[in-house]
Amino acid sequence: MKKNVLSLSLILFSFCAKSQISVQTYGGNKETELLGIYSKDFKTKWNYFASGTVAYDYHSGKVNPEIYQNLNYGIGKNLGVSAGVHISDQDIMPSVGLAYGKENDVFGISVFPAFTYSADAKEFGLGLYTLLEYTPKINERLNLYTMLIVESDFSFKEHQSSSQVIRLGIENQNKMQFGIGSNISQTGTHFETEINFGVFIGKKF
């Protein structure tokens, strides 16, 4: 099953990569990662959102692809209902829930709280994906660039996994970004934590 999931993840990530609006490469002390984020509003109330990563672990030599994607339908101001799937080389987790999104020239937020089902553990649970970006002007040529991605998955009995992607840097007029960051992850009931510090460079289209 893991091989099938891996192949499916690569296919889906390749599809999304053709239409990315934001791409970042990240080099850390434990792994290197390529991150892509795509969001498209259709002429109707529909929206498609996807966030995909391909990470290379220095110690194990493994390549780990992962994609989170959902289709959203607006039911009110900045609020909608959502259905999607989170795919990794370890699990497939379909989900249904809510979608909240708001954006202006310097601030953007997307939040997706959902009910989930783990195909691997065969358990229902709760999930949360949050993306925050804040890019206020420093001067006429540069913006401060900050980004935070928070993901959490819980069964109805215990914590499964969580992660935080943190970026702090500079963005120029061409929407090129560079700076420092960290990828933090917690697993299991005792929240065993791993931290990967590094630098990033990105481009927003």
Side-chain angles (χ1 to χ4, degrees):
M1 176 179 149
K2 289 185 179 180
K3 290 183 178 179
N4 293 335
V5 173
L6 177 61
S7 301
L8 182 58
S9 297
L10 287 170
I11 291 169
L12 287 171
F13 185 80
S14 298
F15 169 76
C16 291
K18 296 176 183 178
S19 304
Q20 290 292 349
I21 61 168
S22 182
V23 177
Q24 288 184 4
T25 57
Y26 178 74
N29 62 311
K30 294 182 179 179
E31 66 178 24
T32 297
E33 178 184 273
L34 174 66
L35 166 67
I37 300 170
Y38 175 77
S39 179
K40 180 173 178 61
D41 291 323
F42 299 98
K43 291 182 180 180
T44 59
K45 295 182 178 181
W46 293 96
N47 165 271
Y48 174 76
F49 178 88
S51 174
T53 61
V54 177
Y56 173 72
D57 186 288
Y58 306 143
H59 179 71
S60 66
K62 289 182 60 178
V63 175
N64 301 306
E66 187 172 353
I67 185 168
Y68 173 89
Q69 58 182 341
N70 52 42
L71 189 63
N72 313 297
Y73 181 78
I75 57 174
K77 186 177 181 180
N78 303 321
L79 185 66
V81 291
S82 178
V85 62
H86 185 179
I87 302 172
S88 69
D89 63 341
Q90 297 180 339
D91 204 357
I92 299 177
M93 296 181 66
S95 63
V96 292
L98 297 175
Y100 176 83
K102 189 173 182 179
E103 187 174 3
N104 57 36
D105 291 340
V106 299
F107 178 77
I109 180 171
S110 299
V111 182
F112 305 102
F115 291 102
T116 64
Y117 178 76
S118 168
D120 183 60
K122 296 181 170 35
E123 289 186 349
F124 289 96
L126 298 171
L128 176 66
Y129 179 99
T130 302
L131 167 64
L132 291 162
E133 285 187 293
Y134 182 54
T135 58
K137 275 191 174 184
I138 297 174
N139 55 43
E140 291 303 316
R141 294 187 301 173
L142 296 174
N143 297 333
L144 175 69
Y145 179 78
T146 62
M147 183 183 77
L148 173 66
I149 298 175
V150 177
E151 288 188 77
S152 292
D153 290 304
F154 294 82
S155 71
F156 287 121
K157 298 177 182 178
E158 59 188 19
H159 171 263
Q160 301 293 320
S161 64
S162 296
S163 64
Q164 301 84 43
V165 174
I166 302 167
R167 301 288 184 264
L168 174 62
I170 300 296
E171 179 182 77
N172 68 16
Q173 290 176 310
N174 296 321
K175 301 296 183 180
M176 289 289 298
Q177 307 130 3
F178 61 92
I180 60 173
S182 65
N183 291 1
I184 307 169
S185 63
Q186 301 88 25
T187 56
T189 56
H190 299 291
F191 290 80
E192 292 87 356
T193 300
E194 286 194 8
I195 302 175
N196 182 35
F197 293 106
V199 296
F200 76 94
I201 183 169
K203 168 72 173 175
K204 186 175 287 186
F205 299 94

